[in-house]
Amino acid sequence: MVEDVTDLYREFGENRLPPGQRQTDRFPVLSKSGTPDYNPADWRFEVYGAVDEQLTYDLESFAALPHVRQRQDFHCVTGWSRLDCEFAGVPFVEIADRAGVDADAEHVLFHALDGYTTDLPLSACRREEVLFADGLDGEDLPADHGGPVRVVTPHKYAYKGAKWVTGVEFRTEPQRGYWEKRGYSETANPWNEERYS
Ligand SMILES: Nc1nc2c(c(=O)[nH]1)N[C@H]1C(S)=C(S)[C@@H](COP(=O)(O)O)O[C@H]1N2
Ligand SMILES: [Mo]
């Protein structure tokens, strides 16, 4: 079953397409330094920081986690939106609950193979539509779009969704990520056009 979460915009604004965005049928590829190489046998996904139990998955154990499928929209801060992406993935809350997040954790810093980082408040991650996605439109997630696993954050501009994610660090304090350090908004709500800080 594919769950449709494309109506989440109602929580934030009147229109499904956020202000200043234009719809594209393509799915452009954006990255700071290209698609990184990795060896599938060495790939690890680690959950650490302010948690009861650190977790480590390899590709096989990650694939065995409970997955959901969702229809979501995707909004890039540079102005394009791709509607109705069908992502498959493991919900953020599934991972957080398995690790047992400390009561004083308030932020999440995502780490990626290319050295990219991005930060979100824990409350912004504990939402059903935040997924560690490994599938797109019925196929494995393509490497250019962040495969084997990326984060998707349809309630935020897409730079909040780390491609090639390898680490999830729970923190008591925020830490600005790659684009946040370079002037992009820490909150990144597309319906408020929170593009820059
Ligand atoms: N690891 C990593 N994740 C990243 C980026 C990046 O450079 N490296 N770019 C971000 C930006 S700015 C956007 S718009 C989306 C683009 O995702 P796409 O290439 O699948 O369209 O990935 C985000 N996640
Ligand atoms: Mo972006």
Side-chain angles (χ1 to χ4, degrees):
M1 194 202 75
V2 183
E3 192 189 356
D4 191 325
V5 300
T6 58
D7 60 354
L8 67 83
Y9 72 88
R10 293 174 202 273
E11 190 181 331
F12 305 107
E14 308 246 296
N15 298 309
R16 183 169 167 189
L17 193 66
Q21 296 292 109
R22 64 193 175 280
Q23 194 183 330
T24 172
D25 294 330
R26 299 173 44 240
F27 196 168
V29 169
L30 260 92
S31 60
K32 67 173 183 64
S33 51
T35 298
D37 279 331
Y38 73 101
N39 179 346
D42 296 336
W43 183 88
R44 294 292 180 278
F45 176 82
E46 300 193 305
V47 185
Y48 58 98
V51 291
D52 295 338
E53 197 186 345
Q54 291 198 24
L55 304 174
T56 304
Y57 297 93
D58 59 14
L59 282 174
E60 198 184 343
S61 54
F62 186 88
L65 287 167
H67 280 58
V68 298
R69 287 197 290 152
Q70 288 182 1
R71 191 167 305 116
Q72 306 194 341
D73 296 339
F74 191 100
H75 309 295
C76 175
V77 70
T78 61
W80 54 265
S81 294
R82 185 189 191 248
L83 305 185
D84 295 316
C85 308
E86 190 190 308
F87 286 108
V90 179
F92 176 90
V93 288
E94 175 78 41
I95 296 286
D97 289 350
R98 284 174 186 245
V101 179
D102 291 353
D104 60 353
E106 289 187 0
H107 276 261
V108 180
L109 188 65
F110 296 95
H111 298 264
L113 273 177
D114 59 344
Y116 189 83
T117 51
T118 185
D119 171 277
L120 277 175
L122 178 57
S123 58
C125 297
R126 278 196 162 282
R127 294 175 54 102
E128 62 163 354
E129 70 273 15
V130 178
L131 306 179
F132 295 104
D134 56 3
L136 172 65
D137 296 336
E139 311 274 342
D140 286 346
L141 181 67
D144 283 348
H145 286 300
V149 182
R150 76 170 303 159
V151 182
V152 287
T153 56
H155 60 323
K156 300 289 185 185
Y157 287 123
Y159 65 89
K160 292 293 183 180
K163 307 204 286 188
W164 314 296
V165 65
T166 52
V168 187
E169 181 184 353
F170 288 87
R171 302 174 52 90
T172 54
E173 305 284 335
Q175 177 170 307
R176 284 188 293 169
Y178 182 85
W179 282 121
E180 293 92 356
K181 278 183 201 156
R182 288 163 177 79
Y184 282 99
S185 164
E186 290 175 35
T187 48
N189 179 328
W191 291 274
N192 292 340
E193 282 202 81
E194 296 164 358
R195 296 178 198 268
Y196 309 104
S197 62

